[in-house]
């Protein structure tokens, strides 16, 4: 029995799609346990690129794939994504895709509210994807959400919509939005229900059976630990818990089922949207990282902010998730630099910190303390064995391991599926 959790240890976009896809060769089941369709995972298989949002990365390989109860699900987005992936030749059936019947739904008015609040906030906006994820989680916690199972019960839909409209119409009035058209909403839900209900069942039971049968289960996180609603750069965060502990609660298994936590990190740092970013570069180096690394959001298309590797933040994420190893991605993007830098601490006034403080002003005010290493001229692109890496690239990896207190299990050297150096197998740890 093995339960491996993959989480991002930066601000997302660390390459989870590829690494999860690569690990799928060793897994029997793949589970999404938090977030919504704001998460974009890109898989490159041969000449085909798959862009996934809600679907677990295992669907491309025909693995049993589960969308857990911790995910908020836009049923229209899910149906569209299934159709899009099937058009690329991937067969998706209820035997291979399980949708938790207790997952909460993202509804059209959630998107309206998300967009209206961001627009009204102006310069104070936090940079959401405006896809309704935050408002859907608010309704979940407020105990007024519609869940997947409700789509099969018109009476439940009717009285829950009453609760929802009582809350949302007041908000919409204040934002200058029209009241919710209840009958139109019911009609939309009735139309989408047959497209998603065939996949719905108690996901926790499916997972329990998988573990009883000694299946290898891969838990796929979305976003990154620095966007965790509790432990990230609040309020510039996502609306769910991203740390590895959420894998248990968000999928319906006990924490003892988790045997290994793999934290994903880029060989440098990126961030999409607003919020603190201590090592951000506004110069030619930052521009080069963005261009060579093709740093644009999978779902949003927004350019990512780029900077040097921040060992302080990654070490903090490693502690929060109890990571056993890291997967270092996009090492090849650093090829050709004369020197590379790693942030080893922060200056805040006359203090030196080894962590990111919780206060917004302090997070904005910290200044990175850098350590400079020699770059390497030989390419690492496509390398699949550590013995073929340049000595200075190996030195860079080893220094990162020392600073974050966690060994490298995998190193990715290109977007291609097989361009991975395996140092430690998470399923055999």
């Amino acid at each position: 029995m093995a339960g491996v959790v993959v989480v991002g240890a930066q601000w997302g976009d660390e390459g989870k799609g590829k690494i999860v896809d690569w690990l799928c060769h060793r897994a029997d089941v793949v589970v999404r346990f938090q977030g919504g369709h704001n998460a974009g995972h890109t898989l490159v298989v041969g000449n085909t690129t798959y862009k996934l949002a809600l679907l677990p990365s295992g669907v491309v390989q025909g693995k049993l794939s589960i969308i857990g109860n911790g995910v908020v699900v836009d049923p229209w987005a899910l149906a569209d994504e299934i159709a899009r992936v099937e058009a690329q030749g991937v067969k998706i059936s209820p035997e291979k895709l399980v949708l938790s019947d207790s997952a909460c739904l993202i509804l059209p008015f959630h998107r309206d509210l998300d967009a209206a609040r961001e627009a009204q906030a102006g310069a104070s906006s936090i940079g959401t994807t405006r896809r309704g994820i935050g408002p859907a989680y608010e309704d979940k916690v407020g105990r007024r959400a519609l869940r997947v199972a409700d789509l099969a019960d018109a009476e439940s839909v009717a009285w829950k919509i009453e609760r929802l409209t009582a809350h949302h119409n007041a908000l919409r009035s204040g934002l200058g939005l029209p009241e919710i058209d209840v009958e139109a909403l019911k009609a939309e839900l009735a139309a989408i229900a047959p497209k998603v209900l065939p996949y719905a069942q108690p996901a926790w039971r499916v997972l329990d059976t998988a573990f009883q049968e000694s299946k290898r289960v891969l838990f796929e996180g979305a976003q990154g630990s620095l966007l965790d609603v509790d432990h990230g750069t609040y309020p510039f965060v996502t609306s769910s818990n991203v740390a590895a502990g959420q894998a248990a609660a968000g999928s319906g298994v006990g924490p003892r089922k988790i045997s290994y936590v793999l934290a994903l990190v880029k060989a440098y740092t990126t961030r999409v949207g607003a919020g603190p970013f201590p090592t951000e570069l506004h110069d030619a180096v930052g521009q080069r990282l963005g261009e060579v690394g093709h740093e644009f959001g999978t779902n949003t298309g927004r350019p990512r902010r780029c900077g040097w590797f921040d060992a302080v933040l990654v070490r903090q994420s490693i502690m929060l998730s109890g990571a056993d190893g890291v997967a270092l991605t996009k090492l090849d993007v650093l090829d050709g630099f004369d020197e590379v830098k790693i942030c080893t601490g922060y200056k805040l006034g006359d203090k030196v910190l080894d962590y990111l403080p919780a206060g917004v002003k302090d997070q904005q005010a910290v200044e990175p303390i850098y350590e400079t290493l020699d770059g390497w001229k030989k390419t690492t692109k496509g390398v699949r064995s550590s013995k073929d890496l340049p000595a200075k690239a190996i030195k860079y990896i080893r220094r990162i391991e020392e600073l974050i207190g966690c060994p490298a299990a995998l190193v990715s050297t290109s977007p291609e599926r097989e361009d991975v150096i395996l140092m430690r197998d998470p399923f055999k740890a």
Side-chain angles (χ1 to χ4, degrees), residues 137-156:
Y137 272 117
E138 291 172 32
D139 281 344
K140 176 180 180 177
V141 175
R143 295 167 293 179
R144 54 182 171 262
L146 281 176
R147 305 204 295 179
V148 171
D150 295 326
L151 292 175
D153 182 354
E155 289 186 13
S156 291

Side-chain angles (χ1 to χ4, degrees), residues 53-258:
L54 276 170
L55 293 174
S57 298
V59 297
V60 173
Q61 293 189 38
K63 303 288 183 173
L64 176 59
S65 299
I66 299 174
I67 301 173
N69 56 277
V71 179
V72 286
V73 177
D74 182 323
W76 296 276
L78 177 59
D80 288 346
E81 189 174 338
I82 290 171
R84 186 175 69 251
V85 172
E86 286 197 318
Q88 291 184 282
V90 177
K91 177 61 178 174
I92 297 177
S93 68
E95 289 71 40
K96 289 297 183 182
L97 176 64
V98 172
L99 170 61
S100 172
D101 54 7
S102 58
C104 291
L105 299 178
I106 299 172
L107 302 173
F109 55 79
H110 290 134
R111 298 192 294 269
D112 296 342
L113 179 59
D114 202 356
R117 290 197 300 206
E118 279 288 276
Q120 189 180 69
S124 299
S125 66
I126 59 173
T128 79
T129 57
R130 303 188 181 206
R131 299 190 177 202
I133 283 83
Y137 272 117
E138 291 172 32
D139 281 344
K140 176 180 180 177
V141 175
R143 295 167 293 179
R144 54 182 171 262
L146 281 176
R147 305 204 295 179
V148 171
D150 295 326
L151 292 175
D153 182 354
E155 289 186 13
S156 291
V157 168
W159 78 262
K160 283 193 173 184
I161 286 179
E162 282 187 28
R163 282 174 51 78
L164 280 164
T165 53
H167 174 79
H168 279 272
N169 280 336
L171 293 176
R172 293 171 71 87
S173 176
L175 291 165
L177 298 173
E179 287 194 351
I180 296 167
D181 185 334
V182 172
E183 294 308 312
L185 176 60
K186 288 180 181 178
E188 289 182 79
L189 290 169
I192 196 63
K195 296 183 179 181
V196 297
L197 280 176
Y199 305 100
Q201 58 176 301
W204 59 271
R205 291 190 66 193
V206 177
L207 273 170
D208 184 68
T209 299
F211 277 111
Q212 287 190 37
E213 295 175 351
S214 299
K215 302 292 187 183
R216 291 166 295 185
V217 180
L218 188 61
F219 296 89
E220 177 183 13
Q223 290 91 33
S225 300
L226 300 175
L227 293 173
D228 186 285
V229 70
D230 285 312
H231 303 293
T233 49
Y234 191 91
F236 302 96
V237 293
T238 193
S239 303
S240 60
N241 285 115
V242 181
Q246 177 63 18
S251 56
V253 302
R256 291 183 180 177
K257 295 292 194 295
I258 297 170

Side-chain angles (χ1 to χ4, degrees), residues 282-340:
H282 300 281
D283 56 12
V285 172
Q287 183 177 354
R288 175 176 168 180
L289 289 172
E291 291 174 353
V292 176
H294 304 290
E295 296 297 352
F296 297 91
T298 299
N299 272 331
T300 64
R302 290 185 292 181
R304 297 172 185 144
R305 301 152 64 191
C306 299
W308 292 120
F309 187 87
D310 191 330
V312 180
L313 289 179
V314 172
R315 182 171 62 245
Q316 195 163 318
S317 295
I318 295 293
M319 293 177 184
L320 290 168
S321 282
D324 299 289
V326 298
L328 187 70
T329 65
K330 290 198 167 185
L331 180 67
D332 55 301
V333 174
L334 296 181
D335 290 353
F337 279 94
D338 293 326
E339 61 181 32
V340 289

